[in-house]
Amino acid sequence: MKIKPLYLRRWLPVAGLLLALPVSASAHTAISGVGDFFGGVLHPLTTPAHLLVLLGLGLLAGRQTPLNLKIPLAAFIPVSALALVLTTTGLVKTVYPPILISIALVAGALIALGRPLPSTVIGALFVVAAFALGLDSAVENGTPISITKTLLGTWLGLILVVADIAYYLSFVTKQKWQQVGIRVAGSWITAASFMILAFALRR
Amino acid sequence: MNSKSNPKPNLPAWFGLLLLALWLFPSTASAHQETGTVWGFRSGFVHPLTGLDHIAAMVAVGLWGVFLGAPAMWVLPVVFPLVMAFGGALGVLGVPLPGVETGIALSSVILGIAVAFAVRPPLWVAALIVGSFAIFHGHAHGAEMPKAANAATYAFGFVVATGLLHLSGIALGLLVRWSWGKNLVRVGGVAIAFVGFGFLFHFIPA
C-alpha cells in the first residue's frame, strides 16, 4: 500500500514545523533551553553521524519512483522504537561509530550507483539503520520521565527527518539532471563516510 | 508614482540576502582552535577553496566533463569524490604517498591541456585520469585535516566544497554551446594549465 501524498502533505510539514517550536528553558538537555522532548527531536539533527545516515536513507527511499515509503517506514518505525527502548536497559550505551558510518557509506554507494533496488534491500538497510540509530541515542542520565520524553522526541525526530527528506526529494526526481544530481549527492555521502571511517579507525 | 520617478533598485533581492549571510558568517578568533561540529564543517569546506591548485583542478574536471558530453559530464563528478575519499583515507591514516604536491600540480596541467585542446578520450580513460589525480587531492585534504576538527563534518565539508567546484566548472563549461563560449572555455583550460605549471615549477608559491 502506498502512503497517500495527501496524508503526507498534512502531517509531514506540520510535524516539521513542530521541530521549530520553542519551549521553556531547561539546562539539562543536550541542547540547552529546548526541553527534554524537543532536545530528543533535535538529537538526530545535531549528531553528524546520525544526520549522514538519515540523509543517505532519505535519499535512497525518496529517489525511488513512484515514491513508496510503506516498506522503509514500516521497517524503520518499529525497529527504531525497539532500539530506543533497549537503551533504557543500559546494556548498550553507544554504537561503535564505524558501524553507523558504514551504513551511510552503503546507502550513499547505492544512491551513487543509481540502479533501481528491490524493496527488500531498502527495507533491510532501514532495519539495520533504525536499530543502530536507536541504540546510539541512549540518554545518559535523568529522571525516568525526562528520559522517556527525550526518547520519544528522538524517535519522532528520526522518523521525521528520514520521511521528510524522502518525501520532498520525490518532487525532484522526474528530470534526468535531477536524478544525476541525486547520484552525485550519493557519491558525496559515500566519500564523506569513507573519510570518517578512516578517521574512526585511526583513533 | 510612476516607474520613472520610482525606479527599481539595480541590485536584485538576493543580493541583500547574500550580504546578510556574509555578515552573519562567523570568523575565527586566532586564539581559538577550530573544534566542534560547525567548525569542522567550516574547516573542511574552506580547505579546498584556499588552494589555487585545488580550485584549478576541480574546475577543470567540470570543464572537461562538459567537453566530453553526457554521460562523462556527470560520471566524472561522481567518480572524483569516491576516489578522492580513498586518497583522503590514506592521508588520514598517515599512509605516505610520494609526490602529492607534484601530482596536484600535474592534475591542473593535464586537465587544463585536455580542456584547452578539447581532448575527447573514451570515458574509461577520462575516468582513469581524473581518478588518479583525485587520490593526490584527497591525500592532501586528509593529511592536512586539523586534529581538533569534527571528523564527520570536516569530511562532509570538503567533499561538498569539492563537488561545488566541479559544478562551477560544469556551469562555466556550458558556455560551449556558443562558439565564442567554446573558445573562452579553451582559454580557461590554458589558464588552468598555466597555473599547474606555476605550481609545478614553483613560480606560483604553494
Side-chain angles (χ1 to χ4, degrees), chain B residues 112-113 115-117 185-195 197:
Chain B
I113 289 172
V115 173
F117 290 95
V185 170
R186 293 178 74 164
V187 169
V190 173
I192 287 168
F194 180 77
V195 167
F197 276 118

Side-chain angles (χ1 to χ4, degrees), chain B residues 171-182:
Chain B
L172 289 171
L174 291 176
L175 292 172
V176 298
R177 62 180 63 183
W178 295 282
S179 58
W180 61 267
K182 193 174 282 184

Side-chain angles (χ1 to χ4, degrees), chain B residues 64 67-69 72 76 114 117-129:
Chain B
W64 197 29
F67 262 123
L68 292 168
L76 297 186
F117 290 95
V119 179
R120 290 185 178 86
L123 178 58
W124 69 268
V125 175
L128 193 67
I129 292 171

Side-chain angles (χ1 to χ4, degrees), chain B residues 139-155:
Chain B
H139 192 279
H141 293 313
E144 292 168 19
M145 178 176 171
K147 298 280 186 292
N150 180 298
T153 52
Y154 176 90

Side-chain angles (χ1 to χ4, degrees), chain B:
Chain B
M1 283 185 172
N2 61 31
S3 59
K4 283 183 181 173
S5 59
N6 184 18
K8 287 182 179 176
N10 291 326
L11 296 174
W14 58 262
F15 189 76
L17 289 174
L18 179 67
L19 283 180
L20 181 66
L22 286 173
W23 180 65
L24 292 172
F25 199 77
S27 57
T28 321
S30 57
H32 296 168
Q33 244 190 338
E34 295 199 351
T35 57
T37 305
V38 174
W39 288 117
F41 181 82
R42 180 190 182 276
S43 183
F45 190 84
V46 167
H47 195 261
L49 306 176
T50 52
L52 183 59
D53 46 355
H54 285 298
I55 295 173
M58 298 306 105
V59 173
V61 170
L63 290 176
W64 197 29
V66 176
F67 262 123
L68 292 168
M73 186 164 72
W74 302 115
V75 168
L76 297 186
V78 170
V79 166
F80 195 95
L82 297 176
V83 187
M84 183 183 71
F86 175 70
L90 294 179
V92 166
L93 294 171
V95 178
L97 184 67
V100 171
E101 293 304 323
T102 307
I104 291 171
L106 265 178
S107 68
S108 295
V109 173
I110 303 295
L111 294 171
I113 289 172
V115 173
F117 290 95
V119 179
R120 290 185 178 86
L123 178 58
W124 69 268
V125 175
L128 193 67
I129 292 171
V130 165
S132 307
F133 289 131
I135 293 177
F136 294 108
H137 286 269
H139 192 279
H141 293 313
E144 292 168 19
M145 178 176 171
K147 298 280 186 292
N150 180 298
T153 52
Y154 176 90
F156 202 67
F158 96 69
V159 168
V160 168
T162 301
L164 291 177
L165 285 171
H166 290 156
L167 293 181
S168 306
I170 291 172
L172 289 171
L174 291 176
L175 292 172
V176 298
R177 62 180 63 183
W178 295 282
S179 58
W180 61 267
K182 193 174 282 184
N183 292 332
L184 192 66
V185 170
R186 293 178 74 164
V187 169
V190 173
I192 287 168
F194 180 77
V195 167
F197 276 118
F199 281 103
L200 198 58
F201 297 109
H202 305 292
F203 60 84
I204 295 178

Side-chain angles (χ1 to χ4, degrees), chain A residues 13-190:
Chain A
V14 172
L17 280 175
L18 281 173
L19 289 172
L21 279 180
V23 293
S24 58
S26 163
H28 302 289
T29 55
I31 303 168
S32 179
V34 296
D36 296 321
F37 180 74
F38 284 99
V41 172
L42 293 171
H43 181 262
L45 294 171
T46 54
T47 313
H50 288 203
L51 194 55
L52 200 61
V53 174
L54 292 169
L55 191 60
L57 293 178
L59 293 182
L60 190 65
R63 78 186 180 93
Q64 306 289 327
T65 48
L67 176 68
N68 186 350
L69 292 179
K70 186 196 168 192
I71 291 175
L73 290 186
F76 192 83
I77 292 172
V79 175
S80 56
L82 174 69
L84 286 166
V85 170
L86 280 176
T87 62
T88 59
T89 62
L91 293 173
V92 181
K93 294 217 185 292
T94 183
V95 172
Y96 183 50
I99 293 175
L100 272 174
I101 298 303
S102 298
I103 296 168
L105 193 148
V106 171
L110 291 173
I111 298 162
L113 280 174
R115 301 265 182 251
L117 293 167
S119 301
T120 46
V121 173
I122 298 175
L125 194 63
F126 267 71
V127 166
V128 175
F131 200 65
L133 289 168
L135 287 182
D136 200 48
S137 302
V139 182
E140 287 170 5
N141 47 38
T143 63
I145 289 178
S146 75
I147 290 174
T148 306
K149 281 182 181 174
T150 307
L151 291 179
L152 270 174
T154 304
W155 186 51
L156 185 63
L158 288 170
I159 297 164
L160 283 177
V161 172
V162 78
D164 268 334
I165 293 171
Y167 175 66
Y168 287 110
L169 184 79
S170 68
F171 289 107
V172 288
T173 56
K174 307 292 181 293
Q175 305 291 327
K176 178 75 178 167
W177 68 269
Q178 292 169 334
Q179 292 165 9
V180 172
I182 295 167
R183 290 182 64 184
V184 171
S187 75
W188 291 2
I189 292 171
T190 310

